């Protein structure tokens, strides 16, 4: 199992910044990729940013140039969000793609989510 704990959400005015953190805990899984997804009210969950084990990143077009994803050796992932817009409002979920040591299948794990609210 992989446990993911997010923190850093909150309320901010448009143009402001927030930093989200996600700490991954596991003893028997290797984490291959991590990412942030968000879900706005009435909408489907969408990918915001993703980072692989080797540090490769990809972003949703809507956040390119404003958000930065990173991770450290201690299995903590960050999402630095700048120039926030009201349309960035939603619940942000941490995701990890992990494989049991010695296994061949990848599994998806999710955090509990953290609310981000951007007011105009």
């Amino acid at each position: 199992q992989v446990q993911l704990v997010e923190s850093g959400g909150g309320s901010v005015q448009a143009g402001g910044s927030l930093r989200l953190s996600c700490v991954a805990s596991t003893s028997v899984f290797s984490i291959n990729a991590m990412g942030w997804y968000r879900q706005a009210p009435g909408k489907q969950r969408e990918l915001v940013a993703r980072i692989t084990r080797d540090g490769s990143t990809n972003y949703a077009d809507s956040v390119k140039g404003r958000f930065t994803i990173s991770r450290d050796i201690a299995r903590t992932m960050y999402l630095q969000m700048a120039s926030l817009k009201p349309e960035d409002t939603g619940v942000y979920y941490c995701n990890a793609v992990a494989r049991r040591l010695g296994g061949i299948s990848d599994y998806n794990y999710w955090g509990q989510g953290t609310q981000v609210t951007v007011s105009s």
Side-chain angles (χ1 to χ4, degrees):
Q1 291 284 351
V2 178
Q3 288 78 43
L4 302 172
V5 178
E6 302 116 329
S7 61
S11 297
V12 65
Q13 288 192 327
S17 299
L18 283 173
R19 188 174 86 152
L20 305 182
S21 300
C22 174
V23 179
S25 300
T26 180
S27 59
V28 296
F29 280 78
S30 173
I31 296 176
N32 295 328
M34 297 183 75
W36 289 98
Y37 289 72
R38 69 186 178 194
Q39 188 165 19
K43 294 187 176 182
Q44 290 188 330
R45 191 175 297 187
E46 62 175 357
L47 174 69
V48 175
R50 186 172 182 267
I51 185 166
T52 63
R53 188 184 185 92
D54 64 0
S56 299
T57 60
N58 63 286
Y59 297 89
D61 288 342
S62 60
V63 307
K64 283 181 181 176
R66 300 188 297 121
F67 291 11
T68 303
I69 190 171
S70 61
R71 62 188 286 189
D72 63 23
I73 197 170
R75 293 177 175 168
T76 301
M77 177 180 62
Y78 305 95
L79 184 68
Q80 181 67 50
M81 305 185 291
S83 302
L84 283 161
K85 304 176 180 180
E87 51 263 43
D88 294 318
T89 294
V91 179
Y92 283 68
Y93 295 93
C94 173
N95 168 265
V97 179
R99 180 176 299 183
R100 181 179 289 273
L101 297 175
I104 60 173
S105 299
D106 289 335
Y107 298 90
N108 270 293
Y109 292 91
W110 296 91
Q112 79 284 0
T114 185
Q115 177 70 43
V116 172
T117 302
V118 184
S119 58
S120 57

